[in-house]
């Protein structure tokens, strides 16, 4: 473990969190993978242990810790054979709650952020739309001011925690004619009438609920606007660097888990009178992947460290997600191959890991979109600055 980033306190937290996952989460994973429903009691246990409040202010029940506690949180969640469960936890804690903390007023923080930290409320971030995909500025959902309320109409899709959430952080256009300058962010309680959530059937991430959500004349109070009207797009962009780094860390962690499992398997499996860990073709393939994963991990840690010190790392975060998710897919594909027929069996972790990993280059901005963003920075010399101070 790199001592430049991880202190003794970090290592103690890793041991505590790993033990918690083994005792409280792992015994339920297979059931949640089959049902696609994570039971609410585990959210409360996470909250009681303080795991949802790592980076958030103490005033709302958080611990105000550095980002490397979150790195540990993400890495250990990737090593319990369910990226779907992991996604449900980090999408709540670092997508929905990030906006509550950054743009929510004191009332919203007291009522929703505190309850999210304690595990009493589950949140979902609603940005992606059926016709928009990675094109955030092309969203069609509207929020029209009428008397003392906003009326929301439209739809969102691929929303993690969308079925069982207690609240949504919703991006909608308050002035559609202004394009991305007309987007605002809202807090929408899911008990509000006019909301319908449909569960989607996915290739992977089976334990998490992913929804398509429709808003049909959903009325919310004016005070549920978060931040300033028309500043939604900058708010979203501001947080994308952190989201991309989260997905990069997830990627290197699941690839590392695949390698560790495969090495253990190779040391036990025999063929032609020898352990397959002695076969040169497999050994050399594995160490190439291990080298790629280590490169990603070192780069990702460095980017997190810079973000932790307040730097704007949109370029590095975009590179991190682009490369790490690609390396994870390639690594896990090879690891499954090394298990032969057993790799294709559901009782072994590589089959599920392969499906779960495939979401990496898609979610949070596809690899193709990320390449174009990087092209603008590297080739066109476009300089992105923090959208909101």
């Amino acid at each position: 473990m790199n001592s430049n980033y991880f202190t003794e306190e970090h290592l103690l937290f890793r041991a505590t969190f790993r033990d918690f996952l083994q005792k409280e989460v792992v015994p339920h994973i297979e059931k949640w993978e089959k049902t696609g429903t994570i039971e609410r009691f585990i959210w409360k246990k996470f909250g009681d242990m303080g795991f949802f409040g790592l980076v958030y202010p103490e005033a709302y029940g958080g611990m105000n810790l550095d980002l490397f506690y979150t790195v540990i949180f993400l890495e250990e969640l990737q090593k319990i054979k369910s990226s779907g469960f992991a996604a449900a936890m980090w999408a709540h804690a670092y997508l929905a709650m990030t906006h509550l903390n950054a743009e929510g007023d004191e009332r919203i923080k007291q009522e929703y952020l505190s309850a999210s930290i304690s595990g009493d409320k589950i949140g979902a971030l609603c940005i992606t739309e059926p016709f928009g995909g990675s094109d955030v500025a092309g969203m069609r959902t509207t929020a029209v001011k009428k008397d003392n309320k906003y009326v929301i109409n439209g739809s969102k899709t691929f929303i993690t925690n969308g079925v069982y959430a207690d609240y949504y952080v919703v991006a909608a256009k308050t002035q559609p004619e202004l394009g991305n300058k007309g987007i605002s962010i809202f807090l929408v309680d899911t008990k509000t009438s006019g909301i319908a959530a449909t569960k989607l059937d996915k290739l992977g991430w089976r334990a998490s609920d992913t929804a398509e959500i429709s808003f049909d004349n959903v009325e919310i109070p004016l005070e549920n606007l978060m931040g300033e009207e028309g500043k939604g797009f900058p708010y979203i962009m501001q947080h994308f660097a952190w989201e991309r780094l989260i997905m990069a860390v997830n990627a290197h962690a699941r690839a590392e888990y695949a390698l560790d499992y495969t090495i253990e398997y190779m040391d036990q499996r025999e063929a032609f009178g020898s352990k397959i860990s002695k076969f040169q073709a497999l050994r050399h393939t594995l160490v190439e992947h291990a080298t790629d994963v280590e490169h990603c991990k070192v780069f990702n840690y460095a980017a997190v460290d810079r973000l932790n010190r307040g730097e704007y790392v949109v370029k590095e975060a975009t590179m991190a997600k682009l490369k790490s998710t690609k390396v994870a897919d390639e690594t896990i594909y090879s690891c499954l191959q090394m298990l032969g027929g057993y790799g294709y069996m559901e009782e072994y972790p590589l089959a599920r890991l392969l499906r779960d990993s495939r979401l990496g280059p898609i979610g949070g901005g596809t690899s193709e979109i990320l390449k174009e963003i990087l092209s603008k920075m590297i080739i066109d010399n476009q300089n992105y600055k923090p959208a909101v101070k």
Side-chain angles (χ1 to χ4, degrees), residues 2-283:
N2 194 320
S3 59
N4 290 332
Y5 306 124
F6 297 98
T7 65
E8 193 67 34
E9 287 76 15
H10 287 116
L11 301 185
L12 289 171
F13 172 72
R14 187 183 293 275
T16 298
F17 188 50
R18 184 179 293 170
D19 183 62
F20 170 85
L21 292 174
Q22 289 301 317
K23 289 180 179 177
E24 304 293 347
V25 177
V26 170
H28 306 284
I29 286 294
E30 294 309 315
K31 176 173 63 175
W32 294 339
E33 283 282 328
K34 286 182 174 64
T35 63
T37 303
I38 299 168
E39 294 164 284
R40 298 224 28 148
F41 75 83
I42 197 63
W43 300 83
K44 184 58 179 167
K45 286 192 175 183
F46 266 69
D48 289 344
M49 291 293 292
F51 297 141
F52 289 142
L54 298 176
V55 300
Y56 295 108
E58 294 179 15
Y60 309 107
M63 291 185 280
N64 200 30
L65 298 172
D66 67 71
L67 294 182
F68 281 95
Y69 284 92
T70 295
V71 168
I72 293 167
F73 177 86
L74 298 170
E75 287 179 334
E76 293 304 317
L77 279 171
Q78 290 298 314
K79 300 178 180 181
I80 58 171
K81 202 182 170 186
S82 178
S83 294
F85 176 82
M89 298 298 113
W90 63 255
H92 165 69
Y94 296 106
L95 298 189
M97 287 170 59
T98 292
H99 282 275
L100 293 186
N101 186 55
E103 290 102 47
D105 61 15
E106 186 62 23
R107 177 189 64 86
I108 286 174
K109 288 178 180 177
Q110 290 289 353
E111 187 174 348
Y112 288 91
L113 181 58
S114 292
S116 298
I117 290 171
S118 67
D120 291 302
K121 287 186 185 294
I122 300 170
L125 178 62
C126 300
I127 295 176
T128 305
E129 298 191 357
F131 299 101
S134 296
D135 181 12
V136 175
M139 70 174 59
R140 302 180 183 180
T141 299
T142 60
V144 178
K145 192 180 293 186
K146 184 178 179 182
D147 299 326
N148 61 343
K149 55 186 176 289
Y150 285 98
V151 181
I152 301 176
N153 283 283
S155 60
K156 302 290 180 180
T157 197
F158 309 140
I159 307 304
T160 302
N161 296 335
V163 176
Y164 303 112
D166 299 295
Y167 66 88
Y168 300 143
V169 175
V170 179
K173 284 188 172 175
T174 41
Q175 292 181 281
E177 70 278 6
L178 297 182
N180 64 20
K181 292 182 173 61
I183 296 173
S184 302
I185 297 285
F186 300 91
L187 187 287
V188 180
D189 196 289
T190 56
K191 295 185 179 70
T192 310
S193 61
I195 298 173
T198 303
K199 195 168 191 174
L200 300 173
D201 191 13
K202 310 185 297 291
L203 172 68
W205 282 21
R206 304 291 295 183
S208 67
D209 71 278
T210 304
E212 183 162 323
I213 303 167
S214 66
F215 300 91
D216 183 10
N217 290 317
V218 175
E219 298 182 357
I220 62 171
L222 293 179
E223 56 265 30
N224 279 25
L225 170 70
M226 297 211 300
E228 296 180 43
E229 191 173 282
K231 291 287 185 70
F233 190 76
Y235 295 147
I236 293 166
M237 293 299 105
Q238 186 85 346
H239 303 313
F240 264 163
W242 182 216
E243 180 180 350
R244 289 169 188 161
L245 274 180
I246 285 170
M247 296 194 74
V249 170
N250 288 339
H252 83 232
R254 66 175 169 269
E256 199 168 48
Y257 169 64
L259 288 168
D260 289 344
Y261 183 88
T262 302
I263 291 169
E264 183 180 353
Y265 175 87
M266 289 169 64
D267 200 44
Q268 297 171 355
R269 177 72 169 169
E270 292 191 6
F272 307 105
S274 177
K275 291 180 179 179
I276 66 172
S277 60
K278 302 301 181 183
F279 294 169
Q280 188 181 72
L282 299 185
R283 291 163 65 89

Side-chain angles (χ1 to χ4, degrees), residues 320-345:
K321 180 185 182 296
L322 176 67
K323 186 65 174 180
S324 298
T325 55
K326 182 175 186 285
V327 165
D329 272 9
E330 292 171 346
T331 299
I332 293 164
Y333 185 95
S334 284
C335 286
L336 188 151
Q337 181 72 17
M338 291 181 193
L339 267 67
Y342 291 108
Y344 205 63
M345 298 295 108

Side-chain angles (χ1 to χ4, degrees), residues 339-353:
L339 267 67
Y342 291 108
Y344 205 63
M345 298 295 108
E346 286 293 334
E347 63 187 283
Y348 289 75
L350 269 299
R352 180 182 299 164
L353 200 58

